[in-house]
Amino acid sequence: MTHIRAPRGTIDVFPEKPGIWQRLEETVRSVCRNAGYTEIRTPIFEHTELFQRGVGESTDIVEKEMYTFLDKGERSITLRPEGTAPVVRAYLEHKMWAGPQPVKVYYIGPMFRYERPQLGRLRQHTQFGVEALGASSPALDAEVISILISVYQHLGLSGFVVRLNSIGCSECRPRYKESLVNLLSEHVDELCADCRRRLRRNPLRVLDCKNERCAILAKELPPIFEYLCEDCSRHFGGVTECLKALDLVYELDPTIVRGLDYYTKTVFEVVHSGLGAQDALGGGGRYDGLAEELGGTQTPGVGFAAGIERAVQVLQDAGDKETSTDAGEVTVFIAAMGDEAKIEAFRITHALRKQGISTDIDYLDRSLRAQMKYADRQGVKTVVIIGEDELKGDYVIVRDMVTGEQTRVPFGDLIKILTQNTILSKDLKLPREK
Ligand code: AMP
């Protein structure tokens, strides 16, 4: 029979790899909590309409990348391709607007996009992100950007560039779009097929087209800064002033427009040249019109989303070989010989785990010598040896694996001695069971 493989564009994070993932997720949680953000978990699937209305019909995501299906009740369901529309939906549904503002949340979870898989581009990928809703202060835009950068800095991930732009609002953007259409209409023949289509529906996307000829044309176009209304200009000035106050280095880049329709004013991306063609580590911006688009009252919001697989890639390329925090966790190993001793070992193992000391035993009927070797390879600090002689004599041998020192301990005192051992108690992985 042929082996069943994982679907194209998906990956397994298996026991040799999760170290960096765990460190990344823990860093995200700490950095977000430190800035007053709490976790939100929204469903993996939503009504398709949420993304059609929220992300926008003319976007690549909605046009061709969604995993959409009819469920058994004939409802159109979509595996979430992004996290912002679901968070805003939850904000409205649970009337979070009625509480203190801004509401600041973060999330970590899988997203699904039916894209052509290639290096750095998956069909299921994992994002972490933050959303801050209910405040329009430019300082909040800068806070959101600084959180993303802080995550990378805490991880020791370097070499990235922050690109910043404003795409204006419903006041000033139409004027800019109009002049783009006018200017580009004279060069339609030079545009790629996608951009020719975009010219009518979403001309801003021509600015970030990866096609070489489109990119040359885009460079010649006037930057949006010249078209921003007074409010958008002032807001953008506020964001850059706050970023400067944090000494956060950024580049102004008028070609950053983001692929989702809901953005207003600030947009940004963090890119890393080590990633190749798919060079975006993360990106985000302000979306003051999204709540209204989803049927709520006008609510300002700003956030970012960043890819975990891509950050892991950069960290690994930089030589980050950290092993799992799960691996090598076992502190005590009970090595036993003989049936009766094995039952005792099993009992002691569970008694120590109840005390919060991570403990393991042999499940392969290994010889005592092989059990010691296995324990050593697992990085265990203490091995308790129970054989037939020990059982008869009512004692066990406790071996310090670092010094090699062995002590006889009366059977009845073992758990007390191990739980009082200062070296082991420093390693407690769990609070003691009550
Ligand atoms: P986006 O919402 O498209 O800006 O995505 C946010 C971040 O998620 C990107 O900057 C990438 O790091 C990551 N990302 C987006 N799509 C994919 C994908 N198909 N495969 C892997 N990572 C992705």
Side-chain angles (χ1 to χ4, degrees), residues 103-132:
V103 169
K104 305 205 291 187
V105 293
Y106 74 88
Y107 59 83
I108 303 175
M111 304 294 162
F112 305 85
R113 296 181 188 177
Y114 193 77
E115 295 189 270
R116 199 165 46 80
Q118 62 183 83
L119 189 70
R121 199 204 268 158
L122 296 161
R123 289 185 172 164
Q124 174 179 331
H125 71 280
T126 320
Q127 292 186 356
F128 65 93
V130 306
E131 313 292 349

Side-chain angles (χ1 to χ4, degrees), residues 82 84 107 127-131 141 144-145 148 162-167 256-260 262-270 280-287 301-306:
E82 62 95 52
T84 305
Y107 59 83
Q127 292 186 356
F128 65 93
V130 306
E131 313 292 349
D141 306 34
V144 160
I145 298 172
L148 180 55
V162 181
R163 300 215 170 118
L164 184 69
N165 191 20
S166 169
I167 53 166
I256 300 291
V257 294
R258 312 280 298 141
L260 301 88
Y262 51 59
Y263 286 111
T264 51
K265 297 183 174 161
T266 317
V267 283
F268 68 95
E269 262 175 30
V270 178
L281 271 174
R286 184 161 274 287
Y287 45 84
V302 60
F304 74 73

Side-chain angles (χ1 to χ4, degrees), residues 41-58:
R41 299 188 190 199
T42 62
I44 300 284
F45 59 85
E46 297 269 0
H47 291 295
T48 302
E49 193 188 352
L50 174 69
F51 302 110
Q52 286 169 333
R53 269 163 58 183
V55 178
E57 295 276 12
S58 68

Side-chain angles (χ1 to χ4, degrees), residues 269-288:
E269 262 175 30
V270 178
V271 294
H272 197 288
S273 56
L275 284 170
Q278 305 299 319
D279 65 351
L281 271 174
R286 184 161 274 287
Y287 45 84
D288 293 347

Side-chain angles (χ1 to χ4, degrees), residues 58-365:
S58 68
T59 58
D60 284 350
I61 289 182
V62 173
E63 268 187 358
K64 45 189 183 196
E65 293 170 4
M66 294 205 300
Y67 276 91
T68 298
F69 57 94
L70 287 183
D71 71 6
K72 293 193 194 306
E74 302 282 302
R75 283 168 290 257
S76 181
I77 294 293
T78 293
L79 301 186
R80 64 177 184 200
E82 62 95 52
T84 305
V87 168
V88 176
R89 195 243 337 115
Y91 173 88
L92 297 172
E93 189 165 334
H94 303 294
K95 300 189 175 46
M96 292 186 219
W97 39 264
Q101 305 295 300
V103 169
K104 305 205 291 187
V105 293
Y106 74 88
Y107 59 83
I108 303 175
M111 304 294 162
F112 305 85
R113 296 181 188 177
Y114 193 77
E115 295 189 270
R116 199 165 46 80
Q118 62 183 83
L119 189 70
R121 199 204 268 158
L122 296 161
R123 289 185 172 164
Q124 174 179 331
H125 71 280
T126 320
Q127 292 186 356
F128 65 93
V130 306
E131 313 292 349
L133 290 138
S136 49
S137 162
L140 202 51
D141 306 34
E143 171 175 289
V144 160
I145 298 172
S146 77
I147 288 173
L148 180 55
I149 300 313
S150 180
V151 168
Y152 295 142
Q153 282 172 341
H154 278 282
L155 287 166
L157 189 159
S158 55
F160 53 81
V161 176
V162 181
R163 300 215 170 118
L164 184 69
N165 191 20
S166 169
I167 53 166
C169 64
S170 53
E171 283 280 303
C172 50
R173 200 183 324 164
R175 266 190 298 131
Y176 184 56
K177 278 187 176 174
E178 198 184 306
S179 58
L180 284 189
V181 173
N182 287 339
L183 289 164
L184 288 168
S185 299
E186 293 166 25
H187 303 273
V188 178
D189 298 342
E190 293 158 61
L191 293 172
C192 71
D194 276 344
C195 282
R196 259 178 260 153
R197 208 163 29 86
R198 285 174 183 144
L199 200 54
R200 288 288 148 217
R201 299 189 72 180
N202 202 351
L204 284 183
R205 291 303 311 276
V206 177
L207 291 170
D208 75 346
C209 180
K210 298 273 191 278
N211 180 290
E212 215 175 302
R213 286 174 64 179
C214 298
I216 294 171
L217 273 180
K219 278 217 170 69
E220 300 300 313
L221 296 167
I224 192 168
F225 306 119
E226 294 169 13
Y227 290 76
L228 294 181
C229 62
E230 208 188 315
D231 181 37
C232 287
S233 244
R234 203 176 332 107
H235 186 91
F236 196 60
V239 177
T240 53
E241 197 182 344
C242 287
L243 292 176
K244 281 178 193 143
L246 302 180
D247 289 328
L248 199 152
V249 181
Y250 60 87
E251 284 177 8
L252 288 185
D253 185 344
T255 68
I256 300 291
V257 294
R258 312 280 298 141
L260 301 88
D261 275 1
Y262 51 59
Y263 286 111
T264 51
K265 297 183 174 161
T266 317
V267 283
F268 68 95
E269 262 175 30
V270 178
V271 294
H272 197 288
S273 56
L275 284 170
Q278 305 299 319
D279 65 351
L281 271 174
R286 184 161 274 287
Y287 45 84
D288 293 347
L290 180 54
E292 240 175 330
E293 199 61 54
L294 298 180
T297 49
Q298 202 272 329
T299 311
V302 60
F304 74 73
I308 293 196
E309 290 82 356
R310 292 191 192 171
V312 166
Q313 186 65 51
V314 173
L315 288 168
Q316 276 173 342
D317 289 349
D320 199 325
K321 289 203 179 58
E322 197 175 338
T323 49
S324 166
T325 50
D326 287 340
E329 282 251 313
V330 172
T331 321
V332 176
F333 189 86
I334 318 285
M337 280 310 285
D339 290 345
E340 212 182 320
K342 281 188 178 163
I343 296 285
E344 273 313 313
F346 195 68
R347 191 185 59 75
I348 294 167
T349 299
H350 288 262
L352 286 173
R353 286 182 187 166
K354 269 182 193 272
Q355 297 299 316
I357 298 181
S358 62
T359 311
D360 211 351
I361 44 171
D362 169 57
Y363 287 104
L364 289 179
D365 275 334

